[in-house]
Amino acid sequence: MKLTALFSALLVGTAWALPAASPAQASRNLAFDSPIINYPHLAVKAPVSRRSDPAGNASTAQFLHGIASGDPLADAVILWTKVTSNDSQVDVLYEVSMDEYFTDNVAADFVSTNADVDFTVKVDITGLQPATTYYYRFTVGSTTSAVGRTHTIPQATDFLASYKLAVFSCSNMPAGYFNAYGSIAKRNDIDLVLHLGDYIYEYPNAEYGDGTALGRIPAPNVQLNTLSDYQTRHAQYKQDVDLMAAHEKFPFVTIWDDHEFEDDSWINGSEGDDKNNLPGQPWAPRKLAAMTAYFQYMPIRAALIDGVGKIYRNFPIGNLMDLTMLDTRMNGRDQTDVKNPFTIAKSSRTIMGSDQEAWFNQQLSASQARGAKWRIIGNQVVFSPMRVLFNTVPLTFDSWDDYPANRQRVLDYIKNNGITNTVILTGDIHSSMVFDVLEDPYNIFDFNPITQSGSALVEFVGPSVTSDGMGAKDMILMRATQPHLRWGNGVLHGYYILTVATDKVTAEYHLLDTIQSRTYVDSIAGTFVTALNSAKITSKVVA
Ligand SMILES: *[C@@H]1O[C@H](CO)[C@@H](O)[C@H](O)[C@H]1NC(C)=O
Ligand SMILES: *[C@@H]1O[C@H](CO)[C@@H](O)[C@H](O)[C@H]1NC(C)=O
Ligand SMILES: *[C@@H]1O[C@H](CO)[C@@H](O)[C@H](O)[C@H]1NC(C)=O
Ligand SMILES: [Fe+2]
């Protein structure tokens, strides 16, 4: 996926002085392709870089929204920033270096940005070395951004002994401080940060969390609807100091869930669609606005799979693992929250869309065939069944429980094609939960799932960064009624560290004592191991 190679004559790999001032060498600001390069009619026209005035408005430019990197490949990584300026167009210099003092640059060029993309800058740096740490920064005139650090992944054929991910979801600004992000920013041993969705929330203040006391009132203070609304909200989140610190330190791989759009959304609508949309703001333009802002503001590579806003994608990480990121929210998902047992039971029902389902099956098989030890799946909503009232009624109507036929097809594919060592990572429900995923999880005639034919894979559901969880009482009920649930905490916020090694995958749940103060304690609440070829939790230590 060497996107920029098509557009730029970047000479990476050799030392750079400042780049030659030739418009032909202008690198491409991918923010102008938003939401996707394959659909140029949806994007805005990129300005021609003004090399005669490369400083832009040097006296007023600032970098107030930090910097970020994401979607690392073995030879490429996305870099992101946003400029604050009163100039109509700003030419931004990016530099990528082997060292943090920028004495050994491997890439440097100007890209232009303007108000059409809210002054965001996103470049795909190609021609990099695998499994290598790089430093990057942006400059306008005499103003230079913070220095970011990023890391490419190993080549698929390289031996890799272990890989460490920090897994986040559900960061709602008014609900509390993003201490979870700040906590990992103090570490040096994370290879990649995953965010499984709800990176922003779409509500006005006090509709879901009141940010008044902490000075975290959502901007703009409305239910998001227009492109400008979504851009302003993303820009506000990008100014959070803890989030900025995490982005500076580690590359992110992100997928959206519903709140990047609206609560309980699906491909053609959302639960609150009719209730919350303003007159004259139907779902399609609102969804496009949300998607466009997401691609402008997130360090994500627009997927080159044909179609608007496809974000499902795979990262082959050495011979150790494939990291396969799904979109169970916006890619062909049938209507959610229908609460009609006959609709829910339909065999054609899909949470993935048929294109993604075919791709996912093919991806699982390709991963198995290439001998990758683990298949690590990044996914939005809970995959395991969570049935209440003697296992007859789904606990939520917005998870895979609402799409049982699709889940069964995934499990059947895994079973029938000898797919092993699969681990699914999940956010959405704001509660820590560790599941053995049973092979026949949604048989309403089987009242005792533990007696079924065994576990096909394991699922690690993460705590939220700040959003309210299911609560202590509900988790006690869950523990009592869901025998495949090996552990849970529905109260505390945090993240988990997933260490993938050749013989086991370990999830270490980090829960924080508070998100209402910037002073907090981060402790390990539980450590769960799934051994190679076990397809279940093989050991657990709970604090
Ligand atoms: C820089 O910004 C100032 C203040 O907004 C403006 O007056 C001036 O024209 C700008 N300069 C350029 C070169 O655009
Ligand atoms: C832009 O101009 C306004 C009004 O002149 C000023 O208050 C603001 O500080 C300027 N912003 C920057 C980034 O210079
Ligand atoms: C979404 O809407 C489009 C356009 O009306 C339609 O073709 C498609 O089938 C719909 N998808 C679902 C899952 O309802
Ligand atoms: Fe959430």
Side-chain angles (χ1 to χ4, degrees):
M1 289 199 221
K2 292 188 178 169
L3 193 54
T4 52
L6 299 173
F7 302 104
S8 84
L10 260 188
L11 300 172
V12 284
T14 56
W16 273 78
L18 284 190
S22 153
Q25 289 189 7
S27 296
R28 193 169 172 79
N29 181 355
L30 300 179
F32 287 98
D33 296 335
S34 182
I36 192 165
I37 191 170
N38 293 1
Y39 288 76
H41 63 286
L42 295 174
V44 284
K45 194 173 174 334
V48 174
S49 181
R50 302 168 309 179
R51 293 314 173 77
S52 55
D53 179 22
N57 201 328
S59 56
T60 60
Q62 289 173 278
F63 294 95
L64 302 177
H65 300 80
I67 52 178
S69 73
D71 278 14
L73 303 177
D75 63 351
V77 69
I78 297 283
L79 303 183
W80 179 93
T81 194
K82 170 178 162 76
V83 182
T84 302
S85 167
N86 282 326
D87 206 359
S88 60
Q89 178 185 327
V90 183
D91 291 349
V92 182
L93 172 70
Y94 65 79
E95 293 168 274
V96 183
S97 177
M98 302 299 294
D99 70 289
E100 58 195 298
Y101 307 106
F102 294 85
T103 59
D104 192 4
N105 281 8
V106 297
D109 205 351
F110 287 98
V111 282
S112 296
T113 187
N114 65 21
D116 288 344
V117 291
D118 218 15
F119 289 93
T120 54
V121 173
K122 191 157 102 173
V123 285
D124 197 353
I125 308 294
T126 58
L128 300 175
Q129 296 302 309
T132 303
T133 298
Y134 290 96
Y135 298 86
Y136 62 96
R137 67 182 178 190
F138 299 90
T139 302
V140 177
S142 57
T143 311
T144 296
S145 71
V147 172
R149 195 181 72 165
T150 193
H151 199 72
T152 50
I153 60 176
Q155 277 175 321
T157 47
D158 288 349
F159 172 78
L160 182 64
S162 89
Y163 199 75
K164 214 179 261 297
L165 303 150
V167 185
F168 294 85
S169 59
C170 299
S171 28
N172 181 25
M173 180 164 280
Y177 292 117
F178 291 166
N179 291 338
Y181 293 141
S183 194
I184 55 143
K186 295 173 191 153
R187 298 177 66 136
N188 286 311
D189 61 340
I190 311 287
D191 293 302
L192 191 66
V193 170
L194 292 193
H195 199 295
L196 299 174
D198 295 355
Y199 180 95
I200 62 162
Y201 276 78
E202 81 281 20
Y203 300 110
N205 194 40
E207 197 164 306
Y208 190 56
D210 189 332
T212 310
L214 299 183
R216 293 170 74 80
I217 294 175
N221 194 356
V222 298
Q223 169 86 217
L224 304 182
N225 224 323
T226 66
L227 176 58
S228 152
D229 290 344
Y230 283 101
Q231 287 169 328
T232 303
R233 186 66 57 87
H234 272 284
Q236 180 189 31
Y237 275 60
K238 279 287 191 298
Q239 292 194 70
D240 179 88
V241 289
D242 292 299
L243 179 56
M244 282 200 281
H247 274 304
E248 263 178 38
K249 202 101 177 246
F250 308 111
F252 275 48
V253 166
T254 69
I255 45 178
W256 54 47
D257 195 14
D258 51 343
H259 292 286
E260 282 85 350
F261 300 84
E262 195 196 338
D263 190 30
D264 288 3
S265 37
W266 53 289
I267 185 170
N268 286 340
S270 68
E271 191 208 12
D273 199 15
D274 302 331
K275 188 176 65 184
N276 291 325
N277 271 347
L278 303 174
Q281 292 286 346
W283 177 248
R286 184 176 181 187
K287 176 177 143 177
L288 185 61
M291 252 183 205
T292 301
Y294 189 86
F295 279 111
Q296 288 171 350
Y297 272 87
M298 300 300 288
I300 183 175
R301 185 177 285 106
L304 296 180
I305 302 159
D306 190 41
V308 175
K310 299 251 185 268
I311 59 163
Y312 57 84
R313 59 206 191 280
N314 186 67
F315 298 86
I317 302 182
N319 67 350
L320 182 65
M321 60 187 268
D322 276 288
L323 174 65
T324 306
M325 305 302 289
L326 301 182
D327 179 2
T328 58
R329 181 57 67 180
M330 282 296 154
N331 189 79
R333 178 182 179 137
D334 282 326
Q335 185 165 5
T336 195
D337 260 331
V338 288
K339 298 187 179 125
N340 174 333
F342 298 102
T343 306
I344 292 174
K346 271 189 177 169
S347 65
S348 62
R349 197 156 160 77
T350 180
I351 192 172
M352 307 175 88
S354 55
D355 58 332
Q356 181 177 204
E357 191 172 333
W359 171 85
F360 183 45
N361 290 344
Q362 179 271 329
Q363 178 54 50
L364 288 171
S365 287
S367 174
Q368 191 79 31
R370 84 175 180 91
K373 285 233 153 53
W374 296 95
R375 277 140 291 286
I376 308 294
I377 315 301
N379 151 75
Q380 286 83 358
V381 293
V382 176
F383 186 81
S384 299
M386 296 185 293
R387 295 174 302 197
V388 292
L389 296 177
F390 302 102
N391 298 329
T392 56
V393 178
L395 179 72
T396 82
F397 289 92
D398 187 48
S399 66
W400 284 78
D401 264 338
D402 203 18
Y403 304 82
N406 200 159
R407 178 171 55 200
Q408 195 57 52
R409 289 194 299 274
V410 171
L411 289 166
D412 288 348
Y413 190 87
I414 286 175
K415 190 178 177 184
N416 298 337
N417 294 277
I419 309 296
T420 60
N421 298 316
T422 306
V423 176
I424 191 160
L425 317 180
T426 302
D428 180 64
I429 197 161
H430 316 160
S431 302
S432 305
M433 291 189 284
V434 175
F435 287 106
D436 286 330
V437 182
L438 300 169
E439 273 181 20
D440 186 12
Y442 203 71
N443 179 353
I444 59 162
F445 301 108
D446 188 336
F447 290 88
N448 185 3
I450 202 73
T451 64
Q452 293 175 343
S453 50
S455 183
L457 57 139
V458 302
E459 178 172 24
F460 295 116
V461 183
S464 68
V465 174
T466 58
S467 306
D468 272 353
M470 65 170 65
K473 257 194 264 169
D474 282 6
M475 189 55 80
I476 289 169
L477 278 173
M478 283 288 290
R479 299 284 300 275
T481 58
Q482 311 295 310
H484 51 309
L485 174 63
R486 303 298 308 276
W487 178 76
N489 182 306
V491 177
L492 294 176
H493 307 281
Y495 60 97
Y496 63 92
I497 301 286
L498 192 83
T499 306
V500 183
T502 48
D503 58 340
K504 64 185 175 195
V505 169
T506 306
E508 189 182 79
Y509 277 76
H510 286 251
L511 299 181
L512 314 182
D513 62 338
T514 182
I515 54 167
Q516 297 306 319
S517 157
R518 287 204 181 277
T519 310
Y520 59 90
V521 178
D522 173 334
S523 22
I524 299 171
T527 304
F528 304 88
V529 173
T530 176
L532 192 73
N533 298 327
S534 71
K536 62 185 180 200
I537 300 298
T538 47
S539 91
K540 63 172 182 175
V541 177
V542 175

